[in-house]
Amino acid sequence: MAIGALVTGGSSGIGAEVARVLAQAGYHLVLSHFEDDENADQVRHAIIDQYGVRCSVFAGNLADASVPSQLAEYALQELGTVSVLVNNAGVTRMASVEEFQLGMIDHVFGLNFRAPLLLARDIGNHMIHRGVSGVIINIASTRAFRAYPRDSIYGGLKSALVRATESMALDLARYDIRVNCIAPGAIQVRQRASLDTFYQRLGHRIPLGRVGQPDDVARAVRWLVSEEAAYVTGTTIRVDGGLILPGMPERLPEGTEDYGWGVVRDAPKSET
């Protein structure tokens, strides 16, 4: 039986690299994207040419409540059987509590939380009815575990996704369907020369001395879908180079304007 995988947000960054490693492992693929036709087409052709698997593309806004089920239906039509779902699509929106806008909250909720749950429901039911020992992976963030200024919406919903993953794992364990979460830290998803200095500076703050690459996350996905992880469910793997191990700094280092966590209070002015 051919094995199929559905990867959301598969036209660039982490999603594109996840698609590549799954294709390398022999999975036929459906990738979703939103308003990124050119990149999606490039990823599709590269996967077909390199690995000889089938790869189809679905365009749609998963923040729309009706679209996740449309994507699930499309994936099942294209693949026949889906044994892996990777809920990767997401969006970052930062705002302080006094700046919240209803549209912003609804959009991030729809894409980052509701869509993964609806896809897990539809693809999970497919796995149950077909007797597939499947794997569902939700891509969260280390922001689920650490509080940052201006991060109530994005970080809060990523935290909710981690918690939801644990309950879904309990719901689906009796069907031999494993549900896990990956929480990336600082990942270099935009490959632009203008950002090199930024990523280098950020990398010096991370215990392993560099920012992450999409392939770092993709390798974790590859392990979780493999038989080597057959006894792993309901857990979250942090892929962050140790980024959040130190926790919130007690104070900003002298002479440092941006420590990466955001300034909670203005530093007192020195007396002259």
Side-chain angles (χ1 to χ4, degrees):
M1 179 177 64
I3 51 177
L6 168 57
V7 180
T8 67
S11 62
S12 64
I14 291 172
E17 195 61 27
V18 167
R20 187 190 68 79
V21 301
L22 291 177
Q24 188 178 45
Y27 285 88
H28 300 296
L29 292 162
V30 164
L31 313 178
S32 80
H33 75 92
F34 179 56
E35 295 183 343
D36 198 18
D37 292 315
E38 184 176 352
N39 283 328
D41 198 48
Q42 289 178 358
V43 171
R44 174 179 175 273
H45 284 295
I47 283 174
I48 293 172
D49 292 344
Q50 279 189 268
Y51 304 108
V53 299
R54 298 195 308 275
C55 184
S56 301
V57 171
F58 175 94
N61 184 4
L62 292 173
D64 184 324
S66 65
V67 173
S69 289
Q70 294 172 17
L71 171 58
E73 182 178 358
Y74 175 83
L76 296 176
Q77 288 175 348
E78 291 292 311
L79 299 172
T81 299
V82 174
S83 57
V84 169
L85 165 64
V86 181
N87 281 312
N88 166 72
V91 64
T92 304
R93 293 289 184 269
M94 311 303 292
S96 184
V97 62
E98 66 270 22
E99 303 166 349
F100 287 170
Q101 299 293 322
L102 179 59
M104 177 191 296
I105 296 172
D106 286 347
H107 181 68
V108 180
F109 167 77
L111 181 56
N112 290 18
F113 189 69
R114 182 176 61 202
L117 267 60
L118 293 175
L119 282 164
R121 178 198 66 187
D122 292 350
I123 298 301
N125 278 324
H126 159 77
M127 293 174 179
I128 292 169
H129 295 151
R130 289 290 187 92
V132 174
S133 298
V135 180
I136 297 171
I137 298 174
N138 296 316
I139 305 298
S141 169
T142 53
R143 287 178 175 269
F145 305 101
R146 290 290 184 272
Y148 296 73
R150 301 176 59 81
D151 195 31
S152 301
I153 301 171
Y154 176 81
L157 286 166
K158 287 299 187 181
S159 182
L161 185 60
V162 170
R163 173 60 181 77
T165 296
E166 296 170 353
S167 285
M168 286 190 281
L170 292 174
D171 292 338
L172 297 176
R174 60 180 172 155
Y175 303 107
D176 198 24
I177 299 169
R178 298 185 291 111
V179 188
N180 289 293
C181 207
I182 294 175
I187 306 297
Q188 187 173 356
V189 295
R190 296 176 181 84
Q191 305 294 332
R192 294 201 302 265
S194 61
L195 292 173
D196 286 349
T197 300
F198 166 78
Y199 282 121
Q200 288 172 2
R201 291 180 60 195
L202 180 58
H204 288 311
R205 302 172 186 165
I206 297 172
L208 287 186
R210 65 174 178 88
V211 296
Q213 297 297 320
D215 184 62
D216 292 311
V217 181
R219 286 197 298 268
V221 170
R222 181 170 57 194
W223 180 73
L224 281 174
V225 304
S226 73
E227 285 301 310
E228 293 181 355
Y231 202 55
V232 178
T233 195
T235 194
T236 297
I237 297 176
R238 296 206 310 260
V239 181
D240 71 342
L243 171 69
I244 67 171
L245 288 175
M248 190 75 170
E250 294 181 3
R251 62 184 178 87
L252 297 177
E254 186 176 351
T256 301
E257 295 180 0
D258 175 16
Y259 194 58
W261 290 89
V263 178
V264 178
R265 293 182 183 273
D266 293 332
K269 295 181 180 180
S270 59
E271 296 181 2
T272 56

